[in-house]
Amino acid sequence: MRKDALHNRERLLEAARQLFADRGLEVPLEEIARRAEVSIGTLYNRFPSRDDLVEAVFADRVAAVRELAERSLAADDPWEGFVAFLTGVCELQSVDLGYNDLAVRSMGADTREGDALMRRIVARAQEAGMLRLDVTLEDMAFVIWGVAGTVRATFRTVPGAWRRHLALTLDGLRAGAAHPLPVPPMTTTQTEKALGGCDQGASAQGTRGRQRGG
Amino acid sequence: MRKDALHNRERLLEAARQLFADRGLEVPLEEIARRAEVSIGTLYNRFPSRDDLVEAVFADRVAAVRELAERSLAADDPWEGFVAFLTGVCELQSVDLGYNDLAVRSMGADTREGDALMRRIVARAQEAGMLRLDVTLEDMAFVIWGVAGTVRATFRTVPGAWRRHLALTLDGLRAGAAHPLPVPPMTTTQTEKALGGCDQGASAQGTRGRQRGG
DNA sequence: TCTCAACTTGAGGAGGCCCTCAACTTATGG
DNA sequence: CCATAAGTTGAGGGCCTCCTCAAGTTGAGA
């Protein structure tokens, strides 16, 4: 890859990082190109689809979450580890509207191993008697989706509010708080579908989500 | 108002009701007009701005929430009342993506009296020793924002999932679940600002939210 | 029936965003 | 320095949504 091309790639990523961070994943690509001082054509050269760009921009976060998961799993206190993990993910959400959007449709990690790690974090906290036994990994989606909503609402006005939301949520997840739940947990498949279905931007807006044209 | 005009108004409201319900508040107005079999011009005649239409469509829900609040306040068991209220609002959210969007930016009621009623519901549950004392009405926004996220994600795939989310959340709100919270509650002003800030559609999408042109 | 205010219509301008591609520029190895 | 593959550019077509307004239609009272 030519040096100038690499340079432009870098500028594009940096521009995208900034714009995604404070406007969410749906900023116009043309605006990203403009901020990178590069033509829109170049952007499409480097990143044929929006998802390619998103993936490149957030690759580091995915890795970070993975590490976070490993650290959390290694924590002395299983509950502390569990809390640290969720707090860490939410912290990332709270600081970057783009990642916030992304988390909503991937539950933070997305990868096979990430999934396995999280499952172990949950299991360990349960075995320690701290996390209620009637929840599953799938229930963690509620935490992410929930905090995502609060982050969207309070991002600019009350930046710390999500911590309170999370704390309340965690109090509901403690073993001692357990009261019978009205419906069974989502299955893995259901969760995957739900995550996948969040694609075309938060609420609805018709068919705006484009496909790659073959 | 002429009879045919009234008729068209009805058709528009019905079309909007349906489309808002399964696509959210951001469906194209032209699509609403089309479904109502009425020209776009007529839509603008009756409802100069999208908000006018939204308000008309959801007027009944606002009233319903008000009644719900009154009933909840009158319940024998203060905690049951509290739960009934939140469940009722979430039920409305879960059944209509439009109302789900609306709740995110109004916390269900919006009105002065609604606010006062909710405050009493909260206070009563606290006085009964069931609702933790360190939460305030403002914290109820977390419930709405949270469930809204789950509804958006699971609306089509796992329609009942929100009940589980809500149940977990409620378990965190019980007096017995209380653990120290990391940050103070949002102030009324902050909450208002946060609600107001959710206007231009869930995540970010730039400046798409139009203003009325004076 | 006649009148006219009330109402409806839908083409079309304005503005966005997406994506492509033919023409141009430039880094790089020889 | 040259050749050329790699890369850049940005106008422009396609599609969408918003909103307006001049021209046409119609309900309802006189």
Side-chain angles (χ1 to χ4, degrees), chain B residues 120-196:
Chain B
R120 287 174 61 197
I121 294 174
V122 167
R124 198 169 76 115
Q126 286 175 321
E127 282 153 22
M130 296 296 296
L131 177 61
R132 54 195 289 176
L133 293 169
D134 54 355
V135 301
T136 72
L137 172 61
E138 281 68 32
D139 291 309
M140 298 309 109
F142 299 143
V143 182
I144 273 82
W145 290 332
V147 168
T150 291
V151 167
R152 272 198 287 263
T154 61
F155 186 67
R156 306 205 182 281
T157 47
V158 205
W162 67 273
R163 289 188 190 278
R164 192 168 165 95
H165 184 168
L166 177 60
L168 289 166
T169 302
L170 288 172
D171 283 351
L173 292 174
R174 293 184 142 94
H179 285 247
L181 294 170
V183 296
M186 295 185 289
T187 65
T188 311
T189 329
Q190 285 175 327
T191 309
E192 267 162 21
K193 274 195 191 139
L195 292 168

Side-chain angles (χ1 to χ4, degrees), chain B residues 51-172:
Chain B
D51 278 354
D52 293 324
L53 181 54
V54 168
E55 202 175 322
V57 164
F58 293 105
D60 60 333
R61 254 76 134 212
V62 171
V65 169
R66 205 214 136 87
E67 277 170 45
L68 173 63
E70 275 160 1
R71 247 180 302 130
S72 304
L73 194 55
D76 291 336
D77 180 347
W79 174 254
E80 293 298 330
F82 176 77
V83 171
F85 178 71
L86 287 179
T87 306
V89 173
C90 292
E91 214 138 39
L92 289 174
Q93 288 180 241
S94 76
V95 144
D96 187 314
L97 284 183
Y99 184 78
N100 195 48
D101 286 354
L102 193 64
V104 163
R105 63 203 216 204
S106 74
M107 260 183 84
D110 211 11
T111 67
R112 273 278 156 62
E113 312 97 49
D115 198 81
L117 281 170
M118 287 173 56
R119 226 172 265 284
R120 287 174 61 197
I121 294 174
V122 167
R124 198 169 76 115
Q126 286 175 321
E127 282 153 22
M130 296 296 296
L131 177 61
R132 54 195 289 176
L133 293 169
D134 54 355
V135 301
T136 72
L137 172 61
E138 281 68 32
D139 291 309
M140 298 309 109
F142 299 143
V143 182
I144 273 82
W145 290 332
V147 168
T150 291
V151 167
R152 272 198 287 263
T154 61
F155 186 67
R156 306 205 182 281
T157 47
V158 205
W162 67 273
R163 289 188 190 278
R164 192 168 165 95
H165 184 168
L166 177 60
L168 289 166
T169 302
L170 288 172
D171 283 351

Side-chain angles (χ1 to χ4, degrees), chain A residues 113-126:
Chain A
E113 312 98 49
D115 198 81
L117 281 169
M118 286 173 57
R119 228 171 263 285
R120 288 174 60 197
I121 294 175
V122 166
R124 199 169 75 114
Q126 285 175 322

Side-chain angles (χ1 to χ4, degrees), chain A residues 37-82:
Chain A
E37 291 177 290
V38 138
S39 97
I40 181 66
T42 297
L43 187 156
Y44 277 98
N45 262 1
R46 287 305 134 221
F47 306 100
S49 81
R50 183 185 222 93
D51 278 352
D52 293 324
L53 181 55
V54 168
E55 203 176 321
V57 164
F58 293 105
D60 60 333
R61 254 75 134 214
V62 171
V65 169
R66 206 214 135 87
E67 278 170 44
L68 173 63
E70 275 160 0
R71 248 180 302 128
S72 303
L73 194 54
D76 290 337
D77 179 347
W79 174 255
E80 293 298 329
F82 176 78

